[in-house]
Amino acid sequence: MPLLFISLRSPRAAWLSLLLLGATLVLSGGAPPPASDTLAARLDRVLRTSRAEPVFWGIYVRDVSSGRVLYERNADHAFLPASNQKLFTTAAALDALGSTYRYETTLHFDGAVQDSIMRGDLIIRGSGDPSFGSVEIRSVDPLRVWAERLHAMGVRRIEGRLIGDDDVFDDRPYPEGWDVDYITSQASRSMGTTTSGLAYRDNVVVVRIRATRPGAPPSVETIPEGAVTINNEATTSARRYGAGVRVTRSFQSNAINVIGSVPRYYRGSVVVPVVNPTLFAVESFRLALEEAGIETDVAAIDIDDLSDKPNTRGIDPLFVALSPPLADLIAITNKESNNFYAEQIFRTYGWAGSVRGGANRTETFLRRAGIDTRPLLIRDGSGLSRKDLTTPRALVDLLVYMDKHRERDAFQASLALGGEPQTTMEYRLRNVPVQAKTGSLRFIRTLSGYATRPDGSRVAFALFANNYTGPSYRVTNTFDEIVRTLTSPATS
């Protein structure tokens, strides 16, 4: 707005000048908002009135197009990111592999066929595909498909070895900084699951428990049936409510332990991670063969237990199972916050299929994107590790960089919309113009993504809350109020 120089030589001149000034202010949209109504002031007010205190907040908000910083608080401090770590993983995967990348899991046969009998080695060669047999993918079971195809080809008996080849990944299944309870206890389907170069059914077993009569053990079955052993020490009680059953496994075996008691009408299911996914996959294939009508006289073997490993190079596969494109897999990773998918993808683009290789390649990608990695610690791909560290600034820098990346559409499509069904945002920010990734661990909450402001401009934001001691919903409510403030017409 041009400056007006008011002459006070006469009352009439002064009056006319003031009249012109008022007209100019009206035409230019009025006076600037008072300091108490700026966006920064409104966000300060949200934090000041939050019932989540005490919390260590980390916040950074930046305009995607102009780069203008709209708000920051502790933006360069290191925080535990929880599942916001998946944003680094999925962005690096898209950069390294591309959104159309597909995994291949193959079945090879090294032996001879006589009449209806196959004699020799059947080898399942894994590629690290998290979706192989996964319940997250609404598809048929690939092992069952392979078994039925062999039967249709006339095979009625298999003698020899069933070998699982998981060598595309190293043999260190757990990243640094995971809680042991993630690994051995009943949990969500993707919580603390073992990674493996040969994965099947999300590397978990479903344990179904049904009450019987008071004083007797409940009925326990697994899916797939027979792939693990069951030690059932639980009882059915006479009470009507209040399940006190616990399902665990030992750290070194696939033996599932069921302890405690269930009420007399109890019916429930839990999932438990398996300790050796490779043997789990191979044993599941043996069961699928028998269900398809093929007799088996085979030894189920993890390739790591062989001193003389079979070589499938030069042997054309009998069957190949292709995964969905990577764009679909990272959508599951981010929208559902699937830790297992994140860890499998992390190792896939990492050198030597290792955690360290995934971390190194992620850091290389971030530095190439112009992001300061000195405050960052990358110990896994999912954010379950309590040794991961990042800054709000680094996450926003990533979001801004990916907005101009060739895989921009796939990356942003992997983030949940406010209120989107069957995502971590299903019950949050409905009808608010936001795409975001949630994160949660005990005493940790995070939320990062993109939001559209009333003038149509877009901002990238990262919201961190660490070391709070009050109810988690208060932190979540504060985050949601921040996003509403960013997208509200009242903000400047």
Side-chain angles (χ1 to χ4, degrees):
M1 182 181 73
L3 295 175
L4 294 180
F5 296 94
I6 302 174
S7 171
L8 299 179
R9 292 178 181 176
S10 69
R12 180 179 176 81
W15 181 83
L16 288 172
S17 297
L18 289 173
L19 184 62
L20 289 171
L21 174 60
T24 303
L25 290 174
V26 171
L27 291 173
S28 64
S36 62
D37 199 40
T38 63
L39 174 60
R42 290 169 63 85
L43 293 178
D44 282 338
R45 193 179 309 133
V46 170
L47 295 177
R48 188 171 59 252
T49 59
S50 170
R51 298 179 63 204
E53 295 288 352
V55 181
F56 181 43
W57 300 106
I59 301 173
Y60 193 58
V61 184
R62 191 167 130 203
D63 187 280
V64 172
S65 297
S66 70
R68 183 166 65 100
V69 177
L70 303 181
Y71 189 84
E72 60 180 308
R73 176 178 291 204
N74 299 321
D76 295 307
H77 282 261
F79 289 79
L80 283 169
S83 283
N84 273 203
Q85 186 79 5
K86 294 180 177 71
L87 294 174
F88 289 139
T89 300
T90 52
L94 286 170
D95 184 78
L97 304 173
S99 56
T100 60
Y101 174 83
R102 292 177 184 262
Y103 291 89
E104 294 185 2
T105 305
T106 54
L107 179 65
H108 300 261
F109 177 60
D110 186 10
V113 179
Q114 181 180 5
D115 298 327
S116 61
I117 301 174
M118 298 178 71
R119 293 187 177 93
D121 293 335
L122 273 174
I123 306 158
I124 306 175
R125 187 178 185 189
S127 59
D129 181 6
S131 69
F132 187 70
S134 171
V135 299
E136 300 289 351
I137 305 296
R138 301 296 183 259
S139 182
V140 293
D141 185 331
L143 295 183
R144 181 168 295 181
V145 170
W146 288 354
E148 291 172 352
R149 286 182 180 176
L150 288 172
H151 186 272
M153 293 165 59
V155 177
R156 295 296 180 267
R157 181 175 173 82
I158 298 176
E159 300 173 356
R161 301 185 298 181
L162 291 181
I163 301 172
D165 183 350
D166 57 11
D167 282 351
V168 69
F169 287 177
D170 71 5
D171 294 322
R172 297 179 180 179
Y174 307 116
E176 183 182 345
W178 278 17
D179 192 319
V180 69
D181 285 344
Y182 298 162
I183 301 166
T184 60
S185 300
Q186 63 195 60
S188 68
R189 181 169 290 276
S190 68
M191 192 75 165
T193 307
T194 310
T195 55
S196 176
L198 174 57
Y200 173 67
R201 288 187 66 90
D202 308 293
N203 288 355
V204 298
V205 62
V206 178
V207 182
R208 286 182 173 172
I209 305 171
R210 303 289 184 269
T212 55
R213 68 181 188 280
S219 167
V220 178
E221 61 178 6
T222 61
I223 301 173
E225 186 179 358
V228 296
T229 59
I230 296 292
N231 179 28
N232 183 6
E233 297 181 357
T235 58
T236 301
S237 74
R239 68 183 186 276
R240 296 174 61 88
Y241 307 105
V245 69
R246 182 171 173 81
V247 181
T248 65
R249 70 162 174 81
S250 66
F251 192 77
Q252 295 293 334
S253 78
N254 274 338
I256 303 297
N257 304 304
V258 184
I259 58 177
S261 64
V262 298
R264 53 184 168 171
Y265 300 119
Y266 181 83
R267 296 170 66 88
S269 299
V270 297
V271 294
V272 180
V274 297
V275 66
N276 189 325
T278 302
L279 282 180
F280 177 60
V282 173
E283 183 63 23
S284 297
F285 187 42
R286 184 189 66 78
L287 294 172
L289 290 168
E290 293 181 351
E291 289 177 2
I294 300 175
E295 295 181 5
T296 62
D297 182 10
V298 296
I301 300 172
D302 182 336
I303 198 170
D304 297 327
D305 295 329
L306 297 176
S307 57
D308 185 17
K309 298 184 179 183
N311 187 353
T312 57
R313 291 179 181 174
I315 302 176
D316 291 335
L318 290 175
F319 309 120
V320 178
L322 289 176
S323 75
L326 183 65
D328 293 351
L329 303 184
I330 70 163
I332 293 171
T333 304
N334 284 336
K335 290 190 177 190
E336 300 177 24
S337 205
N338 191 299
N339 299 300
F340 171 63
Y341 274 52
E343 294 300 333
Q344 294 287 120
I345 292 169
F346 183 66
R347 289 170 178 264
T348 298
Y349 67 75
W351 297 298
S354 66
V355 169
R356 186 64 259 167
N360 286 343
R361 194 155 188 185
T362 303
E363 290 169 4
T364 299
F365 160 69
L366 294 176
R367 285 192 294 269
R368 183 158 41 83
I371 297 170
D372 184 7
T373 60
R374 289 174 296 178
L376 275 57
L377 290 178
I378 298 174
R379 294 294 181 261
D380 68 3
S382 63
L384 283 178
S385 175
R386 288 271 176 178
K387 294 187 177 182
D388 289 326
L389 288 175
T390 190
T391 66
R393 185 185 302 274
L395 261 180
V396 167
D397 286 348
L398 172 76
L399 292 166
V400 172
Y401 177 77
M402 290 304 294
D403 192 65
K404 299 176 178 62
H405 194 275
R406 67 180 184 278
E407 295 290 0
R408 171 185 185 271
D409 292 346
F411 179 73
Q412 294 186 5
S414 75
L415 304 181
L417 299 171
E420 184 175 353
Q422 299 181 338
T423 74
T424 59
M425 294 285 286
E426 181 171 8
Y427 303 108
R428 300 176 62 180
L429 298 169
R430 186 178 300 277
N431 298 323
V432 175
V434 61
Q435 290 178 281
K437 176 74 196 77
T438 61
S440 62
L441 287 173
R442 194 177 185 193
F443 311 126
I444 308 295
R445 289 296 183 272
T446 54
L447 183 71
S448 299
Y450 304 95
T452 302
R453 303 197 66 205
D455 62 2
S457 63
R458 295 170 63 246
V459 296
F461 65 87
L463 312 178
F464 285 65
N466 277 196
N467 302 328
Y468 63 86
T469 55
S472 296
Y473 76 87
R474 292 180 178 174
V475 175
T476 300
N477 290 345
T478 302
F479 281 173
D480 291 355
E481 185 59 28
I482 289 173
V483 174
R484 289 191 184 96
T485 302
L486 288 173
T487 59
S488 168
T491 61
S492 63

